[in-house]
Short mmCIF file of all heavy atoms in Angstrom, two decimals:
data_model
loop_
_atom_site.label_atom_id
_atom_site.label_comp_id
_atom_site.label_asym_id
_atom_site.label_seq_id
_atom_site.Cartn_x
_atom_site.Cartn_y
_atom_site.Cartn_z
N CYS A 80 27.33 -0.53 -33.00
CA CYS A 80 27.43 -0.42 -31.55
C CYS A 80 26.80 -1.65 -30.89
O CYS A 80 26.04 -2.36 -31.53
CB CYS A 80 26.74 0.85 -31.06
SG CYS A 80 25.09 1.09 -31.75
N PRO A 81 27.09 -1.92 -29.64
CA PRO A 81 26.62 -3.17 -29.02
C PRO A 81 25.10 -3.29 -28.93
O PRO A 81 24.56 -4.34 -29.26
CB PRO A 81 27.25 -3.13 -27.63
CG PRO A 81 28.38 -2.20 -27.72
CD PRO A 81 28.01 -1.19 -28.75
N ASP A 82 24.40 -2.25 -28.51
CA ASP A 82 22.96 -2.36 -28.25
C ASP A 82 22.10 -1.93 -29.43
O ASP A 82 20.92 -2.23 -29.47
CB ASP A 82 22.57 -1.53 -27.02
CG ASP A 82 23.22 -2.07 -25.75
OD1 ASP A 82 23.37 -3.29 -25.65
OD2 ASP A 82 23.58 -1.26 -24.88
N ARG A 83 22.68 -1.17 -30.37
CA ARG A 83 21.95 -0.73 -31.58
C ARG A 83 20.67 0.04 -31.24
O ARG A 83 19.67 -0.06 -31.95
CB ARG A 83 21.65 -1.91 -32.50
CG ARG A 83 22.93 -2.63 -32.93
CD ARG A 83 22.70 -3.67 -33.99
NE ARG A 83 23.98 -4.33 -34.32
CZ ARG A 83 24.82 -3.90 -35.24
NH1 ARG A 83 24.53 -2.82 -35.94
NH2 ARG A 83 25.95 -4.53 -35.46
N ILE A 84 20.74 0.80 -30.16
CA ILE A 84 19.58 1.61 -29.78
C ILE A 84 19.31 2.67 -30.84
O ILE A 84 18.15 2.97 -31.17
CB ILE A 84 19.83 2.26 -28.39
CG1 ILE A 84 19.78 1.18 -27.32
CG2 ILE A 84 18.80 3.34 -28.10
CD1 ILE A 84 20.19 1.66 -25.95
N CYS A 85 20.38 3.25 -31.41
CA CYS A 85 20.20 4.27 -32.44
C CYS A 85 19.49 3.69 -33.66
O CYS A 85 18.62 4.35 -34.25
CB CYS A 85 21.56 4.85 -32.84
SG CYS A 85 22.80 3.60 -33.21
N GLU A 86 19.82 2.47 -34.04
CA GLU A 86 19.16 1.86 -35.21
C GLU A 86 17.70 1.58 -34.89
O GLU A 86 16.82 1.75 -35.74
CB GLU A 86 19.87 0.56 -35.58
CG GLU A 86 21.30 0.74 -36.08
CD GLU A 86 22.01 -0.58 -36.29
OE1 GLU A 86 21.31 -1.59 -36.51
OE2 GLU A 86 23.25 -0.61 -36.23
N ARG A 87 17.42 1.14 -33.67
CA ARG A 87 16.06 0.79 -33.29
C ARG A 87 15.18 2.00 -33.04
O ARG A 87 13.96 1.87 -32.94
CB ARG A 87 16.07 -0.12 -32.06
CG ARG A 87 16.55 -1.53 -32.38
CD ARG A 87 16.38 -2.45 -31.20
NE ARG A 87 17.48 -2.31 -30.26
CZ ARG A 87 17.41 -2.67 -28.98
NH1 ARG A 87 16.29 -3.13 -28.48
NH2 ARG A 87 18.46 -2.54 -28.20
N THR A 88 15.77 3.19 -32.92
CA THR A 88 14.95 4.41 -32.78
C THR A 88 14.11 4.62 -34.02
O THR A 88 13.02 5.18 -33.95
CB THR A 88 15.86 5.62 -32.52
OG1 THR A 88 16.63 5.39 -31.35
CG2 THR A 88 15.05 6.89 -32.33
N GLY A 89 14.63 4.20 -35.17
CA GLY A 89 13.82 4.29 -36.37
C GLY A 89 13.91 5.66 -37.03
O GLY A 89 14.71 6.50 -36.65
N PRO A 90 13.06 5.89 -38.05
CA PRO A 90 13.11 7.17 -38.76
C PRO A 90 12.48 8.29 -37.94
O PRO A 90 11.48 8.10 -37.27
CB PRO A 90 12.29 6.89 -40.02
CG PRO A 90 11.38 5.77 -39.65
CD PRO A 90 12.08 4.95 -38.63
N VAL A 91 13.10 9.46 -38.00
CA VAL A 91 12.56 10.65 -37.34
C VAL A 91 12.51 11.77 -38.36
O VAL A 91 13.27 11.78 -39.33
CB VAL A 91 13.40 11.08 -36.11
CG1 VAL A 91 13.40 9.99 -35.06
CG2 VAL A 91 14.81 11.44 -36.50
N SER A 92 11.61 12.72 -38.12
CA SER A 92 11.50 13.83 -39.07
C SER A 92 11.10 15.14 -38.40
O SER A 92 11.26 16.20 -38.99
CB SER A 92 10.48 13.49 -40.16
OG SER A 92 9.22 13.22 -39.56
N SER A 93 10.57 15.09 -37.20
CA SER A 93 10.09 16.31 -36.55
C SER A 93 11.26 17.19 -36.15
O SER A 93 12.29 16.68 -35.70
CB SER A 93 9.29 15.97 -35.30
OG SER A 93 8.28 15.06 -35.59
N PRO A 94 11.11 18.51 -36.30
CA PRO A 94 12.17 19.41 -35.82
C PRO A 94 12.43 19.18 -34.33
O PRO A 94 11.49 19.08 -33.54
CB PRO A 94 11.60 20.80 -36.07
CG PRO A 94 10.60 20.61 -37.14
CD PRO A 94 10.01 19.24 -36.93
N GLY A 95 13.68 19.06 -34.00
CA GLY A 95 14.02 18.78 -32.61
C GLY A 95 14.24 17.32 -32.33
O GLY A 95 14.74 16.96 -31.26
N SER A 96 13.89 16.44 -33.26
CA SER A 96 14.11 15.01 -33.03
C SER A 96 15.60 14.72 -32.99
O SER A 96 16.39 15.33 -33.70
CB SER A 96 13.48 14.18 -34.14
OG SER A 96 12.10 14.41 -34.21
#
Side-chain angles (χ1 to χ4, degrees):
Chain A
C80 49
D82 296 325
R83 301 188 181 272
I84 289 172
C85 50
E86 294 174 25
R87 287 188 278 159
T88 302
V91 298
S92 58
S93 307
S96 300

